[in-house]
Amino acid sequence: MKMKSFRKWAKRPALLIASALTAGLLAGCGANNDESGESSGSWADIEERGVLQVATSGTLFPASFHDDEEGLTGFEVELTREAADRLGLEVEFTEMGFDGMLTSINSGQVDLAVNDIDINEDREERFLFTEPYKFSYGAMIVRPDDYSGIETLEDLEGKKHGGAATTIYMQIAESYGAEGVTYENVTNDTYLRDIENGRLDVVMNDYYLQSLAIEALPEIDVIIHPDLFYHPNNQAMIMKEDNHELQERLNSVIQEMLEDGTVTTLSEQFFGGQDVSEEPDMEFEEPDVEYDDE
């Protein structure tokens, strides 16, 4: 199995634990084009309405989740709010599973999506991304007594892997012969308990998201596999392929936030003191799989 450094493979794909069916869609901007050829969600339209319409799941701790006191919050939720504020805009979030996000961008129902969404070659052919603000890699949640019988990626054959049908991690698992068990837009405790009780053998996902999910639910007897790390990746905001001015303006304020320490502060707040805006200096196992992003 090939081993690759993070920097060389930093633009490979990844996704999230929770994702699946659309929970609801904004009835806002339509998908009609104006005379300039831009969609009705172009920067001129956004600036005129004064509101940035954003899709997110609301179930993916700590990127996008609900707090009893704060309501919808999370690393990317607050990062988006700060970016919008610096652009003189308000934000309206619409919560949905990942499967609905890209469709909603293309239909003009939202301007962009934030939900630990990975930059990859297939998406870059069909959408625009901002510059990345989070760098990570893949990990596995397994049972602690025998690591669910998994020592290498090849040992995924015959195991039960949980996730949404269209995630990159599901594609990796199934490419190695795992049986995919699909879930709707559920919270992390559902996955972790199903690993503990044997309904699942493994959930493959972002290292930081998985480590925090386990830390938040210590009563569930699962762990992160200590020896298998793979699939370096980075995340950013994703938007319609013709919305170049929105991309440029967001890139400008994201760069400001990286330089003035705002992104680091938000990262440390939501990721237990860790700075996810820094690229980790490690080597990873690179899965032998061709990714198919619907």
Side-chain angles (χ1 to χ4, degrees), residues 40-55:
S40 58
S42 69
W43 170 251
D45 294 318
I46 295 168
E47 189 174 34
E48 181 177 0
R49 83 171 95 98
V51 176
L52 190 63
Q53 295 172 329
V54 181

Side-chain angles (χ1 to χ4, degrees), residues 5-294:
S5 69
F6 183 89
R7 289 183 180 274
K8 183 173 181 180
W9 291 90
K11 286 206 160 187
R12 301 290 290 183
L15 272 178
L16 40 134
I17 283 184
S19 258
L21 299 179
T22 302
L25 301 175
L26 278 174
C29 293
N32 295 329
N33 289 348
D34 60 24
E35 294 181 356
S36 69
E38 292 255 319
S39 73
S40 58
S42 69
W43 170 251
D45 294 318
I46 295 168
E47 189 174 34
E48 181 177 0
R49 83 171 95 98
V51 176
L52 190 63
Q53 295 172 329
V54 181
T56 194
S57 72
T59 62
L60 186 65
F61 179 84
S64 171
F65 66 98
H66 282 267
D67 179 82
D68 289 341
E69 296 181 358
E70 300 294 330
L72 181 65
T73 188
F75 171 65
E76 287 191 274
V77 169
E78 300 306 332
L79 186 149
T80 302
R81 284 177 172 145
E82 177 63 21
D85 184 66
R86 295 188 186 203
L87 292 173
L89 302 172
E90 300 293 328
V91 183
E92 290 181 1
F93 289 99
T94 299
E95 295 176 40
M96 62 182 73
F98 178 74
D99 291 353
M101 293 181 190
L102 302 188
T103 301
S104 297
I105 291 170
N106 273 334
S107 70
Q109 292 174 305
V110 297
D111 302 311
L112 59 90
V114 294
N115 209 65
D116 208 57
I117 298 172
D118 219 55
I119 300 171
N120 67 46
E121 292 179 2
D122 181 75
R123 291 184 192 136
E124 286 185 305
E125 292 177 357
R126 300 181 293 121
F127 298 91
L128 296 180
F129 283 93
T130 63
E131 291 299 314
Y133 42 73
K134 177 174 176 283
F135 300 87
S136 190
Y137 49 94
M140 298 183 184
I141 297 180
V142 293
R143 288 183 289 277
D145 52 350
D146 63 348
Y147 304 154
S148 298
I150 300 170
E151 295 183 2
T152 68
L153 290 174
E154 285 74 13
D155 292 329
L156 288 167
E157 184 172 2
K159 305 298 183 185
K160 292 184 178 180
H161 171 269
T166 58
T167 67
I168 300 302
Y169 285 113
M170 181 66 83
Q171 292 179 41
I172 294 173
E174 291 183 340
S175 75
Y176 281 91
E179 176 188 346
V181 180
T182 58
Y183 289 73
E184 294 187 2
N185 200 30
V186 300
T187 52
N188 291 333
D189 60 302
T190 301
Y191 290 94
L192 269 57
R193 291 193 187 281
D194 281 354
I195 295 171
E196 182 185 44
N197 64 33
R199 183 169 186 259
L200 298 175
D201 296 303
V202 60
V203 169
M204 300 168 65
N205 197 18
D206 176 90
Y207 167 77
Y208 292 111
L209 300 183
Q210 292 198 321
S211 62
L212 286 168
I214 287 177
E215 182 180 348
L217 298 162
E219 70 277 9
I220 304 177
D221 191 22
V222 295
I223 63 169
I224 287 182
H225 197 300
D227 303 319
L228 273 179
F229 301 105
Y230 56 94
H231 185 55
N233 56 82
N234 50 21
Q235 289 76 39
M237 300 176 184
I238 187 171
M239 66 206 75
K240 201 167 185 178
E241 64 180 344
D242 62 1
N243 213 338
H244 294 281
E245 188 169 1
L246 176 61
Q247 179 195 43
E248 291 171 4
R249 290 177 182 273
L250 286 169
N251 276 341
S252 177
V253 294
I254 289 170
Q255 185 61 39
E256 288 178 4
M257 293 162 65
L258 287 165
E259 292 175 355
D260 67 23
T262 300
V263 177
T264 296
T265 298
L266 288 172
S267 174
E268 291 174 346
Q269 176 184 345
F270 288 102
F271 288 94
Q274 302 175 99
D275 187 359
V276 300
S277 69
E278 293 186 355
E279 299 180 24
D281 184 16
M282 356 178 2
E283 290 190 342
F284 303 91
E285 191 167 1
E286 179 60 25
D288 185 15
V289 56
E290 293 185 7
Y291 300 103
D292 178 22
D293 186 29
E294 296 297 334

